[in-house]
Amino acid sequence: MTSKDWVAHFPGLKALAPEIAKPLVETSRVVVLPAGTRIFGPGQAPDAYLLLIDGTVRVQQASSAGREIVLYRVSAGESCALTTACLMGYEEYQAEGIAETDVEAVAIPRSTFDDLIARSAEFRRFVFTAFSVRVTNLFRIIEEVAFSRIDVRLAQKLLELAGPGAQVERTHQQLAAELGSAREVIGRQLNEFQRRGWIATSRGVINIVRAEALKNLAAAP
Amino acid sequence: MTSKDWVAHFPGLKALAPEIAKPLVETSRVVVLPAGTRIFGPGQAPDAYLLLIDGTVRVQQASSAGREIVLYRVSAGESCALTTACLMGYEEYQAEGIAETDVEAVAIPRSTFDDLIARSAEFRRFVFTAFSVRVTNLFRIIEEVAFSRIDVRLAQKLLELAGPGAQVERTHQQLAAELGSAREVIGRQLNEFQRRGWIATSRGVINIVRAEALKNLAAAP
DNA sequence: ATCGGTCTGTGACTAGGTCACAGACGCATG
DNA sequence: CATGCGTCTGTGACCTAGTCACAGACCGAT
């Protein structure tokens, strides 16, 4: 994306007045990051407000014992809202952001971000809306980690991660990291799903056979 | 607090220019809420940005099965930062805020908030800093719920909640709700702490006898 | 003194996380 | 093709935490 029309990728920004959009486009730059890039993390503070044009970024929290849990994903058209709040505040961001695919993004410098927040009600709305979605989602995750059964959460996650062809290309270890659980536990649950004929598994791939059954379980209290 | 000098309670706001502070003080009002008041929750969206002059507000998340977990507390001198983000965005706030003591607070209307964000870099810094502290704390809670042992978390919580005289005035049920655990589990852990001589318990009250021992456990990985 | 509500204790059981280790699979290399 | 290696998966034994059912204990009000 060498052109300057990336604003069109973000519905919340289309309504920006030209005198607002101009400095935004002029001071920000489009960056391309290969899959696997660590974008921010402890000891690597983010330095700009990121808007994703293409690809996804996975934000996860690692425990001292080496276990992990995925907090959320930033997809095309969205922004790294929480990262930025921490960028604007003083606090060290403890989570880690990894490019899950090749990523194309707009990097808005901190000073431009602050300027836009001051000058545009539209931009404020865009930022705070993104914020509220993330925070609400974090609350949901806390509730699920604390109170939901692992089989229900796994069923939800499989449906969420399923690509075309109802295929989930993840190892048991990766699924465990998604949910903050352990590999063995995920393996046993998957065995049980398979025994019931809901999925078919092979090395690194899970095929969903009976999505309805999974949805039914995922909707359980 | 009938006077208008409440701004002095908030270090982050002292530096506001007079022409900024004036509309802030004029359009906001000081409210007093008795202990136990439900300030916001599902179906009861907050309608203003709250700055606490005195008292504490407990923000918690309830599960469908009736269990609860405390997300954070807002104390005197702090703001309901996350609530407001959700207020400015569109998302329904799923958590619940309860006045834990009698509360005295400044309610800043949404329009004034938006105006201040636009006009004052100081105010923006104040808001985003509050934000980042809360978000960072949420990440810590997710990590602890997912990966930490309940005895370690209970020891931390006892130390955190201890009032003067090293006394914690909570029932087992309340402690369980703090941690998102179950009453019986908390009771057994407390029994074990007592057996080791670290605490002394009676109905509704826990006395910390050996704070050092609890600190030691709380610092465990 | 008794009653009712709240708070606490306990045993039996289930779910989920931990540990140790054994195979199985896929792929590169000789 | 055979070999070897790293990754991925399966399994049993065990431990921790949460669930369920129920029994008492405490405490203030009548």
Side-chain angles (χ1 to χ4, degrees):
Chain A
M1 166 109 15
T2 51
S3 70
K4 293 178 174 179
D5 60 355
W6 54 259
V7 171
H9 285 268
F10 303 93
L13 297 182
K14 277 185 196 162
L16 286 187
E19 72 270 21
I20 302 288
K22 190 156 173 273
L24 171 58
V25 172
E26 280 173 359
T27 64
S28 57
R29 65 215 155 73
V30 173
V31 296
V32 175
L33 306 163
T37 307
R38 177 177 152 139
I39 300 173
F40 57 85
Q44 183 185 355
D47 60 345
Y49 185 60
L50 276 192
L51 301 179
L52 258 67
I53 297 170
D54 195 41
T56 64
V57 174
R58 186 178 71 243
V59 179
Q60 60 196 20
Q61 171 90 2
S63 85
S64 45
R67 288 179 59 188
E68 290 180 349
I69 182 168
V70 173
L71 299 172
Y72 57 90
R73 285 186 165 75
V74 186
S75 306
E78 301 175 350
S79 67
C80 287
L82 293 185
T83 329
T84 314
C86 299
L87 164 67
M88 300 300 294
Y90 75 99
E91 198 84 359
E92 166 96 7
Y93 202 70
Q94 286 302 326
E96 190 181 33
I98 311 268
E100 202 162 34
T101 63
D102 288 346
V103 163
E104 186 178 22
V106 184
I108 303 177
R110 189 182 162 126
S111 56
T112 302
F113 178 83
D114 194 56
D115 185 53
L116 282 171
I117 286 280
R119 291 170 55 195
S120 166
E122 275 299 327
F123 190 74
R124 284 196 292 279
R125 183 156 191 83
F126 177 79
V127 170
F128 282 114
T129 299
F131 243 158
S132 66
V133 172
R134 296 271 179 249
V135 169
T136 304
N137 251 308
L138 283 187
F139 289 169
R140 222 202 51 243
I141 288 183
I142 291 179
E143 187 194 327
E144 286 177 354
V145 172
F147 306 128
S148 291
R149 294 174 51 95
I150 195 70
D151 52 355
V152 173
R153 296 175 59 214
L154 179 56
Q156 289 170 351
K157 195 52 92 171
L158 287 175
L159 293 167
E160 178 191 326
L161 294 176
Q167 210 173 51
V168 182
E169 294 184 35
R170 313 269 163 163
T171 65
H172 299 183
Q173 180 59 63
Q174 287 172 328
L175 288 170
E178 290 281 338
L179 299 172
S181 178
R183 177 187 62 79
E184 301 91 318
V185 173
I186 298 302
R188 283 170 192 145
Q189 296 294 337
L190 290 174
N191 272 348
E192 177 62 16
F193 288 176
Q194 188 162 32
R195 195 189 61 76
R196 296 184 195 168
W198 296 358
I199 61 172
T201 66
S202 56
R203 192 184 171 94
V205 179
I206 293 152
N207 284 288
I208 296 179
V209 178
R210 290 199 209 155
E212 282 312 315
L214 286 178
K215 279 179 196 162
N216 193 35
L217 177 59
Chain B
M1 168 111 12
T2 51
S3 71
K4 293 177 173 177
D5 60 355
W6 55 257
V7 171
H9 285 269
F10 302 92
L13 297 182
K14 277 184 196 163
L16 285 188
E19 72 269 21
I20 302 289
K22 190 156 173 275
L24 171 59
V25 172
E26 280 173 357
T27 63
S28 58
R29 63 213 158 73
V30 173
V31 296
V32 175
L33 305 164
T37 307
R38 178 176 150 139
I39 300 173
F40 57 84
Q44 183 186 354
D47 60 345
Y49 186 61
L50 276 192
L51 300 179
L52 258 67
I53 297 170
D54 196 39
T56 65
V57 174
R58 185 178 71 242
V59 179
Q60 61 197 20
Q61 170 91 2
S63 85
S64 46
R67 287 179 60 187
E68 290 180 349
I69 182 168
V70 173
L71 300 172
Y72 57 90
R73 285 185 165 76
V74 186
S75 307
E78 301 176 349
S79 67
C80 286
L82 294 185
T83 330
T84 314
C86 299
L87 163 66
M88 299 301 295
Y90 75 100
E91 198 85 359
E92 165 96 7
Y93 203 70
Q94 288 301 326
E96 189 180 33
I98 312 268
E100 201 162 35
T101 63
D102 289 345
V103 163
E104 186 179 19
V106 183
I108 302 177
R110 189 181 163 126
S111 56
T112 302
F113 178 84
D114 194 57
D115 185 54
L116 282 171
I117 287 280
R119 291 171 56 195
S120 166
E122 276 299 327
F123 191 74
R124 284 197 292 280
R125 183 156 191 85
F126 177 79
V127 171
F128 281 116
T129 300
F131 240 159
S132 66
V133 173
R134 296 270 178 252
V135 169
T136 304
N137 251 307
L138 282 187
F139 289 169
R140 222 202 50 244
I141 288 184
I142 291 178
E143 187 194 326
E144 286 178 354
V145 172
F147 306 129
S148 290
R149 294 175 51 94
I150 196 69
D151 53 353
V152 173
R153 295 176 59 213
L154 178 57
Q156 289 170 351
K157 196 50 95 173
L158 288 175
L159 293 167
E160 179 191 326
L161 295 176
Q167 210 173 51
V168 181
E169 294 184 35
R170 313 270 162 162
T171 65
H172 299 183
Q173 180 59 62
Q174 287 172 328
L175 288 169
E178 290 281 337
L179 300 172
S181 178
R183 179 187 62 79
E184 301 91 318
V185 174
I186 298 302
R188 282 169 194 146
Q189 295 295 336
L190 290 175
N191 272 349
E192 177 63 17
F193 288 176
Q194 188 163 32
R195 194 188 62 74
R196 295 184 195 169
W198 297 358
I199 61 172
T201 66
S202 57
R203 193 184 170 94
V205 179
I206 293 153
N207 284 287
I208 297 179
V209 178
R210 290 199 209 154
E212 282 313 314
L214 285 178
K215 279 179 197 163
N216 193 35
L217 176 59

